Amino acid sequence: MIDPGRLVPRDRTAHPVPRDPEYKTTVARSPNLPLLSMESTTTEETGPRFGHGLIGALDNNLILNWTKGAAPAVGERILMHGRVMDEFGRPVPNTLVEIWQANAGGRYRHVKDTYFAPLDPNFGGCGRTLTDENGYYEFLTIRPGAYPWPNRGNDWRPMHIHISVFGHSFGQRLITQMYFEGDPLIDRCPIASTIKDRSQLDRLVAPLDMARARPLDYLAYKFDIVLRGRRQTMFENKPAGM
Amino acid sequence: MTQTLENLRETPSQTGGPYVHIGCIPSFAGLSQIYPEDLGLKAIGDGAKGERIAITGSVFDGTGWAMRDAMLESWQADAKGNYPGEKGADPKVNGFCRFAADGKTGEFTLHTVKPGAVPGPGGSMQAPHIALWIVARGINIGLQTRIYFEDEDNSADPLLSRIEQRNRVDTLIAKKTGDGQYRFDIRLQGDGETVFLDM
Ligand SMILES: [Fe+2]
């Protein structure tokens, strides 16, 4: 019998560097000492599951979910869609995907966001959904605005949507950000630039997807997500070295 | 030339940023009108078997400042050592919980049951522990660590045994402060830096 197997060890070169002086907050918030690397155990290989019964009909519609459908949010209407897969290209079905973002003016609905762009009374800023049996997900939302943030003298975040994904193992847990094709602020962003491998940063930039756009309604952007895989092998149960 | 490997690379992480609460625990950020209920607010339901415990602590940055914006997630087995979804697992134990440092004090508290020992590699047993995942502004990739308990036998735990500097083992062990009460502080860097995991 083929075991689900251990998690594939994380390739840290696929990720941002933990400490980058250009993103100042990382300097005091990144470990100085090396991480302890070990093969995953049941603890990392299991993880929470969320049932469809927990998800409301408007949860993945950020244009309408704040007002429960009473009034739409202001902004450029977009469909954000994609597929969650693992490193072996297998779809990750029935897994929780959550997003959060600023409104069309670049302001978050959060007590600590004091940017003077106004709140949109019809926009909350978060959504959630479960992938379908083939790993696909969709959100209807508005394109968030770019916003300034205190870092170097004049830093701006490119337009972005924050994304949290679970997978089926706690060790697959991932939070990332989606950027938009053509945004000139991506190359000036010290947070995007913590990813030193340009081909990896490109994977966070969603292309405009006119095939999925709906005429006279919304544009579409595609954002696929790859989580860590599990090493399937017929030899998993043999002790190391045997 | 060789055959081509068809494997994909993992999507790179990015920081959860200062407003991670909006997406993960919206009611904490004051956005309670969207969902009927946030996911992961409670590690256990009423009637969960085992010893009720509360673990309190802070996440300290390299300057010794208790971070006000950290969000944590925990994952654990039930009192008998079964993970939710496994055969025989306690249906009242969700195993998963999300909690955040208080915006004023920087303190968090996890209310749960003490987990049982779980199987480890090669037929070993792992001492009771709770997995933690920590995100915040300035953390570019979520930090993994574990909470063990000072009143359990941790001597044969395979992970703790792998820590070369024995003086660092203590950073993963919650200190008992009272009946069912534990203290577990996390230090991102510097003196007493917590052992973070790559598993
Ligand atoms: Fe943001």
Side-chain angles (χ1 to χ4, degrees), chain A residues 108 147 157 160 162:
Chain A
Y108 285 92
Y147 58 83
R157 292 307 322 281
H160 63 280
H162 296 266

Side-chain angles (χ1 to χ4, degrees), chain B residues 40-121:
Chain B
L41 282 188
K42 286 183 175 158
I44 51 168
D46 291 338
K49 296 186 188 75
E51 184 194 349
R52 299 291 168 122
I53 57 170
I55 304 166
T56 299
S58 286
V59 183
F60 295 100
D61 72 9
T63 72
W65 174 250
M67 291 160 52
R68 269 53 175 175
D69 58 333
M71 187 194 77
L72 299 91
E73 292 183 350
S74 63
W75 174 244
Q76 66 169 97
D78 66 15
K80 292 216 165 91
N82 292 309
Y83 281 96
E86 290 185 331
K87 214 172 131 220
D90 181 347
K92 300 295 186 191
V93 171
N94 305 322
F96 174 68
C97 192
R98 285 170 152 172
F99 45 101
D102 184 89
K104 292 201 174 68
T105 65
E107 244 181 26
F108 64 79
T109 300
L110 167 64
H111 298 276
T112 186
V113 289
K114 193 190 259 187
V118 297

Side-chain angles (χ1 to χ4, degrees), chain A residues 87-195:
Chain A
E87 289 172 274
F88 301 108
R90 288 186 287 251
V92 182
N94 305 312
T95 195
L96 182 66
V97 180
E98 298 162 307
I99 64 170
W100 65 101
Q101 62 170 87
N103 69 19
R107 170 85 181 267
Y108 285 92
R109 191 176 282 279
H110 192 284
V111 282
K112 289 193 179 162
D113 189 350
T114 55
Y115 183 34
F116 51 72
L119 285 171
D120 175 353
N122 298 327
F123 185 73
C126 63
R128 63 186 186 185
T129 192
L130 293 170
T131 57
D132 70 12
E133 62 278 13
N134 297 309
Y136 290 101
Y137 73 90
E138 296 186 340
F139 290 96
L140 199 59
T141 186
I142 51 93
R143 189 205 281 263
Y147 58 83
W149 60 296
N151 187 55
R152 301 173 305 197
N154 187 15
D155 276 324
W156 289 70
R157 292 307 322 281
M159 301 173 287
H160 63 280
I161 296 179
H162 296 266
I163 305 136
S164 151
V165 196
F166 277 78
H168 296 157
S169 306
F170 198 51
Q172 291 177 301
R173 195 79 181 82
L174 184 75
I175 281 180
T176 188
Q177 301 181 26
M178 179 186 102
Y179 303 107
F180 290 83
E181 176 182 2
D183 187 342
L185 291 171
I186 297 170
D187 283 346
R188 298 170 183 267
C189 174
I191 291 180
S193 301
T194 59
I195 300 169

Side-chain angles (χ1 to χ4, degrees), chain B residues 144-155:
Chain B
Q144 281 178 295
T145 187
R146 284 184 177 187
I147 303 174
Y148 288 83
F149 300 91
E150 74 168 346
D151 53 348
E152 295 287 336
D153 179 7
N154 297 313
S155 57

